[in-house]
Amino acid sequence: MNASSQVVSVEGHRISLTHLDKVLYPETGTTKADVLAYYAAIADVLIGHAANRPATRKRWVHGVGTSETPGPMFFQKNLEPSTPSWVKRREIQHKDHVNTYPLVNDLATLTWLGQMSALEIHVPQWQFGRTGTQRNPDRLVLDLDPGEGVGLAECAEVARLARAILQDIGLEPMPVTSGSKGIHLYAALNLSYTSDQVSAVAHELARALEADHRDLVVSDMKKTLRPGKVLVDWSQNNAAKTTITPYSLRGRSHPMVATPRTWKELASSDLEQLDYKQVLARLKRREDPLALLTAGSFEHSPNEVDSAPALVAPDRLTVYREKRDASKTPEPVPAAPAGASAVVTAGQSFVIQEHHARSLHWDFRLEHDGVLVSWALPRGVPDSTAHNRLAVAVEDHPLEYGSFEGNIPIGEYGAGDVSIWDHGHYELEKWRDDEVIVTLHGEPDAGLGGSARFALIRTSDGHGSKPVNNWLIHRMKPLTGAAGSRTNARPHTRPAASIAPAPPKHAYSPMLAAAGSEADLGDDGWAFEMKWDGMRALVYVSLAEQSVRLVTRNGHDVTASYPDLVADLLAALAANVETDAAVLDGEIVAVDKRGRPDFGLLQTRMKLTDEREVAAASKRAPVQFMLFDLLELNGRSLTGLTYSARRGRLEAAVTATGSTQVPPRFDGDFSEAFQTSRQLGLEGVMAKRFDGRYTVGRRSRDWVKIKHFRTQEVVVGGWRPGRGNRGGAIGSLLLGVPTDGGLRYVGRVGTGFGERDLTDIRSRLTNLVRKTTPFSDIPPTDAQTAVWVRPTLVAEVEFVEWTATGRLRQPSWRGWRPDKIPSDIAIE
C-alpha cells in the first residue's frame, strides 16, 4: 500500500489503516497516525475503564477543524454491517429498536475505532455480565461543569467539597480532568445498588452541595442558573447515559485527553487540562491514578464475553440469583421456583448483619411476603432518636439468609465477612411503599440490646415509573406499654471489634524532611531524634469507636497488615482520660533478634492481608510503632503549633506499651545524638527545629535528616541478564529517578542481593516487561542486552556518592519500597 496506508496485524487480526497522514487536529498538526500511536500506547489503561461496557463513539472523519471553524462530527451507537466479525459486541433493547454496541475489550478493537476516526469513546457506569445481562453500576460519577465566569480552579474546589461528603458515606472519589472544561469524580461501587439508586444518591449529594454553597454550586441543568457557578451533573449515573472514557481523546481544537489525576495535583495552582503527549509522559513516570476504580470490579476478563442465554422467568429473588454463583459462594442460593413466584409466608423475623465488604456496612433485613426485604446501612444502625442514617434499598434476599454467617470469596459479589449482629422477630405498625415502621425484638446481649423501634422512610419521589431506593432509617421512641418493650435495655453500640474508624475530622499527609548535614543546622535551636529504618505511617485512633487506621505516606490503608499494633495503640492512648481521639505520626519498624531495626525483615510483612499469613509473619517479624508527632487531638488540629508544643502534647497523650513507643529526643546536642544513632546501628538522626510547624504534605528544612551513609530511592526500569554463576538470572538492575522529562537514568546495581532477593525480583519484574526503554537518557553501553520493564516499582539503594555525570557510585541493594510510588521519589 502507499505511504499513508498499511495493513497491520493486531492481536492476530488484520486491519487496513488508511489515510495515516490525514491531519485530524489542524491547530497542532496531529495526524491519524499520531492518534493510532497514542491509542496503542495507552490501550492497557484505557481498556481497563471501558471493557465490557457498550461504547458510543464520536467520529470526526474529516478532522476536528479549528476553534473558529469546528469540523463535522457524528454520534454513532449502532455498529455498521461492515464491522469485522471479531469485534466483540452486545445488544441493547431500546423503546422501539435494538442497537448493537461494540465492547472496547482489546487493542484490535481500539485500533479499528482509531482507523474510523472515532476520537471520543463514551461508556455508561455499568458493565455487561458474563451472560450478557446488564449488571448494576460498579461506579458513581459526578460531572463538575464550570459555567461562564468560572474555570478549572472552581471545579477543583467543588471536587474537594464533594470528596468530603462521599467519604462520609464510605466512598473514596478519584478525579479526572475531563479534557474539556471541567472535572469528573469517580467512586467505585460494589454492585449492591441499581442505577436508579445510585442516581438518587448522586442527586441528593448535588443538592446538598448546592444548599451549602449556593454562591458556587448549582444542581439544576437550566443554563440560566449556571453563570458564575459549577454545575454538579449527577445525571450521568442514569443507566442510559454515558461519560467520556478515562484516557479517551477529545474532539476539541487540541488533542486533549480525559486524564485521571491525583488529589495533590488538584490542589496545585497550575492545574490544567492535559493533551495526549503530556499523558503519555505521565504514564512513563507513574501508574494510573484511577487504577483502584477497576481493581476487582470485573466479574470476568474482557475476553470472556459469550452469547446471552434466554432470560429466566422473574420472581422476587431473580436479581439475587443473577448476582451469585452457587458453586462459588457459601451464601444460600435457592433454586428458582417452577411457578411464576415463590410461596408467600406470614413470618415476621428480622436479622441485622455486619458486612465487611469493600466498605463496612450493616444489612437490615425484614421478612415480608416470603423474602427478606433488605436495606444497606453504610453508617450503621442509629443509636439515638437524634440521628438519622442513610438506608439504601437492595435486592430481596431468601429467608435462609437470616441465619447466614461466613466469608464470601474474593471476586464474588459482596466479597467479605458476614456475621449476625442481631436477630429475632418484629412487630409491624406500618408497611407502605414509602414508609415502614417496626419494633424489633432482638437478643438481650446482641447489638440492639433488646428491643428498638425504627421507621424506614423513602426520601423522595420517583421519576416517572422508576422507583427511588434512597431511604433514611430513624430510631423512634418506644411505644408506651408496647409488648416486649424494655426500659432497662442497654443502649445501642457499634461492634467493638472493628478496626475501621469513622473518618477523622481532618485528613493529613506526612511532613517530609530535607537531606542535609551538621553544617545545615547553624545556630538555631534543634531537637534530635533517631532516624528509624522503617515505614512511615499516620495512625488515626478513636477510643469511642475502639478503632485504629494505619495509613502510609502515599495514602494506602495498611491496618490489616499490622493487627498486632491495634490493641497497643488503643491502650497507649486510653491511659490518658482526657484523650478521645488522635492522629499521630510515626514509623513502623521491624526488629531483629538483637532488637535492632531491620528493613529487610519489615519487607516480609508489607502488603500482607490474609489473616493467616499476617499472623505467621507477626511472629517471625514483630513490629514496633515509633511515634514522634501528634497532628490532631480530640478533633483539634495541632499542626499550627511549634514542634516543642506538639512534642509535649504527644508525651502527655501517649503511654508507652509493648509495641507502641515514644522514643526519647536529644535537645541541642548533635554529637551525642549522632553517636548514639551509630552505636544502635541506625541510619542517622532527624534534626527538628524547636519552633518549626508541621507543614502537611510538604518537604521542609524545619526537619533535616542526617545519615551515616547515603541512600537513594529509585525506580527500576529494567535489568541486564547475569553471567557466570548468575547465568540465567538477573545480573544487575537499571535504575532511574523521575524528572519532568521522563525517567532519568542513574546507574546499575548488582550487589547486595541474596539468592532469595534475586528470585523475588525476577518474579516481580517478569509481568512488567515491555519492548521499549523507559529511560530518557540511558547510554548504549548500559542498554546492551537489557530487558525493559514498566517503571512502576520503587526500591532503595545505598551508595558512596554522586558522580559528576549524575550516576550512583558503588550502589548496593537495600530492598523494595512498596510503601512508595514513583511520583514520591526525588534526589536525596
Side-chain angles (χ1 to χ4, degrees), residues 24 150 187 240 273 277 322 337 441 469 478 498 502 533 548 666 670 695 717 747 754 767:
L24 296 181
V150 295
Q273 303 286 349
K277 291 182 179 179
E322 287 177 347
H441 301 292
N469 295 296
S498 171
D533 194 9
V548 172
F666 297 76
F670 169 78
T695 54
N767 293 331

Side-chain angles (χ1 to χ4, degrees), residues 40-62:
I42 213 77
D44 284 348
V45 287
L46 186 151
I47 290 170
H49 300 298
N52 299 323
R53 305 176 195 272
T56 299
R57 294 83 67 206
K58 283 188 176 182
R59 296 176 58 189
W60 282 265
V61 176
H62 302 292

Side-chain angles (χ1 to χ4, degrees), residues 494-694:
R494 288 170 65 97
S498 171
I499 58 173
K505 187 170 183 178
H506 301 94
Y508 299 91
S509 295
M511 176 177 174
L512 305 177
S517 66
E518 184 180 5
D520 296 302
L521 303 182
D523 297 325
D524 295 333
W526 295 86
F528 300 95
E529 300 174 357
M530 297 298 101
K531 188 177 188 313
W532 304 101
D533 194 9
M535 182 177 71
R536 186 81 174 275
L538 299 183
V539 57
Y540 297 81
V541 182
S542 170
L543 295 178
E545 299 283 342
Q546 284 291 285
S547 59
V548 172
R549 184 160 63 103
L550 295 164
V551 180
T552 65
R553 170 177 156 178
N554 54 9
H556 293 162
D557 189 324
V558 293
T559 317
S561 298
Y562 303 98
D564 40 340
L565 293 178
V566 171
D568 272 2
L569 281 164
L570 290 170
L573 288 173
N576 185 333
V577 295
E578 296 181 357
T579 301
D580 295 319
V583 181
L584 305 106
D585 193 353
E587 195 94 352
I588 299 175
V589 176
V591 292
D592 61 19
K593 294 180 180 179
R594 298 175 298 170
R596 292 186 174 183
D598 184 338
F599 185 73
L601 197 60
L602 181 64
Q603 287 186 77
T604 65
R605 297 198 56 176
M606 290 180 177
K607 293 195 173 182
L608 294 181
T609 56
D610 180 86
E611 290 184 0
R612 289 174 295 182
E613 293 179 351
V614 170
S618 65
K619 295 178 181 178
R620 296 192 306 268
V623 294
Q624 294 185 347
F625 203 166
M626 304 299 189
L627 297 174
F628 51 69
D629 219 316
L630 180 61
L631 281 59
E632 183 180 300
L633 185 64
N634 298 336
R636 179 192 170 196
S637 176
L638 306 182
T639 56
L641 300 181
T642 64
Y643 163 81
S644 297
R646 296 196 314 276
R647 178 75 189 200
R649 298 285 187 92
L650 173 68
E651 292 173 355
V654 177
T655 301
T657 63
S659 63
T660 301
Q661 302 290 326
V662 181
R665 66 180 183 179
F666 297 76
D667 289 346
D669 192 336
F670 169 78
S671 297
E672 181 185 0
F674 202 61
Q675 185 59 30
T676 300
S677 172
R678 188 185 300 276
Q679 291 172 351
L680 294 174
L682 301 179
E683 281 190 279
V685 299
M686 295 290 297
K688 298 186 177 181
R689 201 185 303 271
F690 284 132
D691 59 357
R693 268 60 175 178
Y694 193 100

Side-chain angles (χ1 to χ4, degrees), residues 258-569:
T259 311
R261 311 298 287 269
T262 66
W263 284 103
K264 182 178 180 180
E265 288 180 294
L266 249 64
S268 172
S269 59
D270 299 326
L271 180 68
E272 61 179 0
Q273 303 286 349
L274 301 182
D275 66 23
Y276 79 103
K277 291 182 179 179
Q278 292 170 302
V279 171
L280 289 175
R282 281 166 59 84
L283 283 177
K284 290 181 179 179
R285 304 192 304 267
R286 65 176 71 191
E287 293 180 320
D288 176 15
L290 206 62
L292 289 177
L293 188 67
T294 57
S297 69
F298 288 148
E299 179 189 48
H300 52 89
S301 72
N303 293 318
E304 289 182 330
V305 179
D306 48 34
S307 59
L311 294 177
V312 178
D315 67 88
R316 292 288 295 269
L317 297 178
T318 295
V319 175
Y320 176 89
R321 293 188 188 92
E322 287 177 347
K323 295 180 177 182
R324 292 162 178 84
D325 184 338
S327 66
K328 296 180 180 179
T329 178
E331 301 165 282
V333 185
S341 62
V343 177
V344 175
T345 63
Q348 290 184 318
S349 64
F350 85 88
V351 65
I352 302 173
Q353 288 157 319
E354 184 179 334
H355 192 170
H356 291 261
R358 178 176 291 178
S359 59
L360 174 64
H361 63 276
W362 282 259
D363 295 313
F364 188 99
R365 312 191 194 280
L366 303 175
E367 181 179 354
H368 188 71
D369 287 347
V371 294
L372 290 175
V373 180
S374 301
W375 293 261
L377 311 183
R379 301 300 299 275
V381 181
D383 52 11
S384 75
T385 58
H387 301 290
N388 299 327
R389 299 278 172 83
L390 174 67
V392 181
V394 298
E395 73 274 11
D396 295 333
H397 281 51
L399 295 179
E400 296 92 331
Y401 215 97
S403 59
F404 173 69
E405 290 186 294
N407 178 267
I408 303 171
I410 294 174
E412 296 306 300
Y413 173 75
D417 291 322
V418 177
S419 60
I420 294 177
W421 189 72
D422 206 339
H423 68 105
H425 71 281
Y426 70 88
E427 295 177 68
L428 179 63
E429 292 181 48
K430 182 186 296 186
W431 193 296
R432 300 192 324 200
D433 290 343
D434 59 354
E435 185 178 13
V436 175
I437 300 177
V438 293
T439 297
L440 307 184
H441 301 292
E443 295 293 316
D445 296 322
L448 294 174
S451 298
R453 184 168 172 246
F454 295 98
L456 288 142
I457 303 166
R458 199 168 70 187
T459 57
S460 59
D461 294 329
H463 298 284
S465 61
K466 295 183 178 180
V468 172
N469 295 296
N470 200 27
W471 298 56
L472 64 80
I473 182 169
H474 170 69
R475 191 179 183 112
M476 305 175 71
K477 293 181 179 179
L479 291 172
T480 303
S485 65
R486 301 165 60 95
T487 58
N488 61 344
R490 66 175 174 85
H492 162 80
T493 58
R494 288 170 65 97
S498 171
I499 58 173
K505 187 170 183 178
H506 301 94
Y508 299 91
S509 295
M511 176 177 174
L512 305 177
S517 66
E518 184 180 5
D520 296 302
L521 303 182
D523 297 325
D524 295 333
W526 295 86
F528 300 95
E529 300 174 357
M530 297 298 101
K531 188 177 188 313
W532 304 101
D533 194 9
M535 182 177 71
R536 186 81 174 275
L538 299 183
V539 57
Y540 297 81
V541 182
S542 170
L543 295 178
E545 299 283 342
Q546 284 291 285
S547 59
V548 172
R549 184 160 63 103
L550 295 164
V551 180
T552 65
R553 170 177 156 178
N554 54 9
H556 293 162
D557 189 324
V558 293
T559 317
S561 298
Y562 303 98
D564 40 340
L565 293 178
V566 171
D568 272 2
L569 281 164

Side-chain angles (χ1 to χ4, degrees), residues 125-204:
Q125 314 319 319
W126 54 269
Q127 295 177 299
F128 286 107
R130 188 189 304 275
T131 62
T133 56
Q134 178 179 327
R135 303 169 75 200
N136 279 343
D138 56 4
R139 60 198 193 193
L140 174 149
V141 67
L142 296 175
D143 180 4
L144 310 182
D145 190 5
E148 183 179 352
V150 295
L152 203 55
E154 288 78 11
C155 290
E157 182 178 352
V158 175
R160 288 187 286 271
L161 297 172
R163 183 190 190 192
I165 297 177
L166 287 165
Q167 287 177 326
D168 281 346
I169 61 174
L171 300 178
E172 184 54 56
M174 292 161 272
V176 173
T177 46
S178 69
S180 179
K181 296 183 295 181
I183 292 173
H184 297 158
L185 283 185
Y186 287 92
L189 302 176
N190 63 3
L191 303 178
S192 296
Y193 314 118
T194 66
S195 294
D196 291 335
Q197 291 172 314
V198 176
S199 292
V201 171
H203 196 181
E204 290 300 320

Side-chain angles (χ1 to χ4, degrees), residues 284 736-745 773-779 788 807:
K284 290 181 179 179
V737 174
T739 65
D740 291 338
L743 188 66
R744 180 169 77 80
Y745 181 65
T773 175
F775 299 106
S776 58
D777 59 347
I778 187 168
W788 309 115
R807 303 286 191 260

